[in-house]
Amino acid sequence: MEMQIAFKINSPKVVQETIDGEVVIVHLEKGDYYSLMNSGADIWNGIETGMSQTEIVAKMEAIYEGDSAEIASSVNNLIEELKAEEIIIPVEKNGHQITEITPVETKLKFEPATLGKYTDMEELLALDPIHEVDEMGWPNAKTQETF
Amino acid sequence: MNSEQKPLAFFNEIYDCYQEAALAKVRDYDYNIAGFPIRLSFAGDALVNRLIPALAHLKTAHICEPLLTICIWDSTSTNTKIPPPSWEGQHLQKRGEIWGLNNDRIHTSFMWGANTLSMLDYERNLGIYWLNNYELLPYWETSSPLRTILQLWLNKKGVQMVHAGAVGIAEGGVLLVGKGGSGKSTTALSCLNSELFYASDDYTLITPNPVPFAYSIYSTGKKKPDDIDRLPFLKPIISNREKLGQEKAVYFLHDHFPEKIINSFPLKAVFIPRVTGKLETNLEKTNFTTGLSALVPSTIKQLPNTGKTACQIMMQIAQKLPCYYLNLGTNIEQIPEVIYQFLKG
């Protein structure tokens, strides 16, 4: 039987927590902060639970409506990025255990996963552009406390 | 002007606006924050009562030479204006930094929602805090004001602001870590009704050397409105009762429990509160990585410019301290008792 590759989080160099739907990953040695949302968070969940790449793609196809090739490509790209950033390490999948994938009733539209990376001096992925400004030209968005 | 000169030029432009606003009236308030003399200089009165109550326990007599001065004003009450940066598309970043206006000397960030501008000139030890209309300052800014400027400046002094609560006694205390909703506030606030002292429920200053130490910064507490019944002794002192539909309950604790606020103590452990639904509260030993996972991501996510130095300080603290889950029971009175017995044991 062909060996299945799964991934493990590069602990203790990397710590992570899901906060308000955002997977917040910190590489402690570099001090960099990474963010995954939506499909990225779901792929991360697959990684975290020890799924192989094939299983993660199957999981994503079960919960998202989208082109299979696009989903597979997005999973592959994110995994490659996470490996390059030394956030995850490939490992042999534990035994021959096959992870159960539960289909959902309503599939969400698939959007490719993006890995946000924020360093201490610059933020490499911006949030929204400034849409609303007040009479002086400063943003005046109203948001709720998120922490 | 080249891109390296822009941050300082913009800082000076905004500082000139402060000086114009300050022509009519300046009110200075001095504080001892983590051992550092810091001055808040308000142009006008409007923001004074909105920002100083959270720091009341750290107020000191007049300081001759503050190490950091923060200039504070709003445009509405001082009838002054400030120019915006030249926004060009996505210039405002996730944690508030304004693209192009940050370098090794100058920090510039704008907080979404609170709509406050925070700037810091590390060379002159000069901070700027501005918003358009003082009446629109949200409750989370009044309960933990000037976070960005203070955490950036203190970070350079080896003191890290973290998203954590802290309670204890003079001989030692514990750091309460975890994301929002994990039980930090319930744990910290429950200690007001016990032999323990309160340093904070949400933000704490920590330093690892020579021994791990915690400093209180805000003597406030917050609870979600649907959770205030768990701490009935605090219900009479909710400061924003009429707004509980939209805001968390905010308590200004120094006004009501001045004798229960503690400004600093050595840290003895990291506790990760977690709600169990069971009656009893107990401690369960866990490892250093679990403690860091509960502390670092939620801190890094919300404080601008936190990175390598912040991680190093948090790692040093976690390496030096034992880490425990604090399994929270439904009998609230037992929570401080378990912490107290740990500290006395």
Side-chain angles (χ1 to χ4, degrees):
Chain A
M1 181 182 277
E2 192 182 334
M3 189 179 74
Q4 288 265 352
I5 298 295
F7 307 91
K8 78 177 188 81
I9 298 168
N10 188 10
S11 176
K13 289 180 182 174
V14 170
V15 292
Q16 55 95 23
E17 174 80 283
T18 302
I19 304 170
D20 300 326
E22 175 190 0
V23 180
V24 177
I25 305 162
V26 180
H27 194 295
L28 293 167
E29 285 183 357
K30 300 179 192 170
D32 292 341
Y33 149 34
Y34 304 85
S35 168
L36 289 169
M37 303 281 286
N38 306 320
S39 63
D42 287 322
I43 295 170
W44 179 262
N45 177 260
I47 292 169
E48 205 183 359
T49 52
M51 289 183 172
S52 69
Q53 187 161 334
T54 311
E55 287 172 328
I56 294 171
V57 172
K59 171 193 162 173
M60 297 302 285
E61 287 178 342
I63 60 177
Y64 282 99
E65 187 71 57
D67 178 65
S68 295
E70 187 189 16
I71 291 174
S73 167
S74 179
V75 170
N76 183 61
N77 291 346
L78 182 61
I79 285 173
E80 288 306 314
E81 269 190 278
L82 292 168
K83 280 159 53 182
E85 295 290 344
E86 300 170 355
I87 294 169
I88 59 170
I89 300 166
V91 291
E92 188 179 346
K93 185 168 161 57
N94 200 5
H96 300 298
Q97 183 187 346
I98 295 172
T99 311
E100 288 267 335
I101 295 165
T102 315
V104 294
E105 278 186 18
T106 312
K107 289 186 175 185
L108 298 169
K109 185 174 180 295
F110 181 75
E111 299 285 347
T114 53
L115 179 67
K117 179 180 176 182
Y118 309 95
T119 71
D120 51 0
M121 281 308 290
E122 58 179 345
E123 311 238 335
L124 303 183
L125 180 72
L127 245 194
D128 296 326
I130 312 296
H131 290 301
E132 292 178 35
V133 294
D134 62 19
E135 71 283 0
M136 280 190 289
W138 287 89
N140 60 356
K142 287 183 174 58
T143 60
Q144 293 295 310
E145 184 184 26
T146 56
F147 42 86
Chain B
M1 188 189 306
N2 66 39
S3 60
E4 261 309 291
Q5 295 168 323
K6 272 188 183 174
L8 181 58
F10 187 68
F11 185 100
N12 287 337
E13 198 175 356
I14 301 299
Y15 186 48
D16 286 346
C17 296
Y18 166 77
Q19 290 179 313
E20 183 195 335
L23 283 175
K25 186 177 190 180
V26 176
R27 291 178 68 178
D28 287 342
Y29 293 84
D30 292 342
Y31 297 90
N32 180 329
I33 301 179
F36 296 98
I38 292 174
R39 172 167 296 160
L40 309 187
S41 281
F42 292 84
D45 294 322
L47 283 167
V48 171
N49 288 335
R50 286 173 162 79
L51 297 186
I52 67 168
L55 298 163
H57 61 306
L58 303 177
K59 192 168 185 331
T60 64
H62 177 75
I63 296 166
C64 293
E65 291 185 26
L67 292 181
L68 170 68
T69 299
I70 306 176
C71 304
I72 299 167
W73 79 109
D74 77 296
S75 283
T76 302
S77 74
T78 59
N79 198 25
T80 56
K81 292 188 173 184
I82 74 168
S86 53
W87 307 112
E88 290 168 19
Q90 297 182 328
H91 274 202
L92 192 55
Q93 312 301 314
K94 187 179 172 83
R95 288 180 292 182
E97 292 97 329
I98 300 177
W99 188 270
L101 292 181
N102 287 275
N103 59 19
D104 287 345
R105 176 172 172 179
I106 301 291
H107 169 86
T108 310
S109 61
F110 187 84
M111 287 296 127
W112 285 103
N115 298 333
T116 54
L117 173 70
S118 295
M119 302 186 77
L120 179 62
D121 180 344
Y122 291 102
E123 207 166 294
R124 284 182 285 182
N125 294 302
L126 190 60
I128 280 175
Y129 181 86
W130 167 90
L131 81 158
N132 186 357
N133 184 347
Y134 70 99
E135 290 183 319
L136 301 180
L137 192 72
Y139 71 96
W140 65 84
E141 286 288 301
T142 57
S143 60
S144 46
L146 309 169
R147 276 196 313 280
T148 299
I149 297 168
L150 290 171
Q151 80 92 7
L152 290 169
W153 188 82
L154 288 166
N155 180 268
K156 296 283 186 196
K157 309 290 180 192
V159 178
Q160 180 61 45
M161 185 183 291
V162 291
H163 183 220
V167 292
I169 51 180
E171 295 80 18
V174 298
L175 196 64
L176 304 168
V177 304
K179 61 186 175 184
S182 61
K184 293 194 303 295
S185 284
T186 299
T187 302
L189 292 166
S190 71
C191 296
L192 290 164
N193 224 0
S194 77
E195 292 173 274
L196 291 167
F197 294 90
Y198 180 96
S200 65
D201 74 336
D202 212 16
Y203 296 99
T204 302
L205 301 172
I206 58 170
T207 180
N209 297 314
V211 294
F213 225 82
Y215 297 90
S216 172
I217 181 159
Y218 304 120
S219 54
T220 47
K222 284 187 295 186
K223 283 293 285 173
K224 287 183 179 168
D226 59 3
D227 205 26
I228 55 177
D229 289 335
R230 298 188 76 194
L231 298 165
F233 71 99
L234 291 176
K235 284 176 83 171
I237 66 162
I238 294 171
S239 66
N240 55 341
R241 187 176 308 279
E242 72 289 354
K243 294 179 181 168
L244 288 187
Q246 306 88 46
E247 302 182 354
K248 286 184 184 175
V250 176
Y251 315 100
F252 289 100
L253 299 170
H254 186 259
D255 292 347
H256 305 277
F257 302 93
E259 75 289 351
K260 296 298 291 180
I261 310 294
I262 190 166
N263 287 0
S264 64
F265 46 64
L267 282 168
K268 301 298 183 192
V270 173
F271 281 9
I272 309 168
R274 57 179 181 184
V275 176
T276 63
K278 295 177 182 168
L279 180 66
E280 303 290 323
T281 292
N282 58 46
L283 291 172
E284 184 181 330
K285 190 92 169 66
T286 185
N287 57 35
F288 147 84
T289 307
T290 307
L292 278 178
S293 297
L295 173 64
V296 177
S298 68
T299 296
I300 296 271
K301 174 179 159 66
Q302 54 180 275
L303 296 174
N305 272 65
T306 46
K308 197 170 181 176
T309 309
C311 285
Q312 284 169 347
I313 292 174
M314 289 186 275
M315 283 169 71
Q316 286 178 53
I317 291 277
Q319 276 166 345
K320 290 179 178 179
L321 297 174
C323 184
Y324 295 85
Y325 282 116
L326 176 63
N327 295 319
L328 300 176
T330 52
N331 178 4
I332 300 290
E333 288 175 4
Q334 202 189 18
I335 296 172
E337 184 57 29
V338 167
I339 300 172
Y340 186 72
Q341 290 305 327
F342 172 85
L343 292 171
K344 282 290 187 184

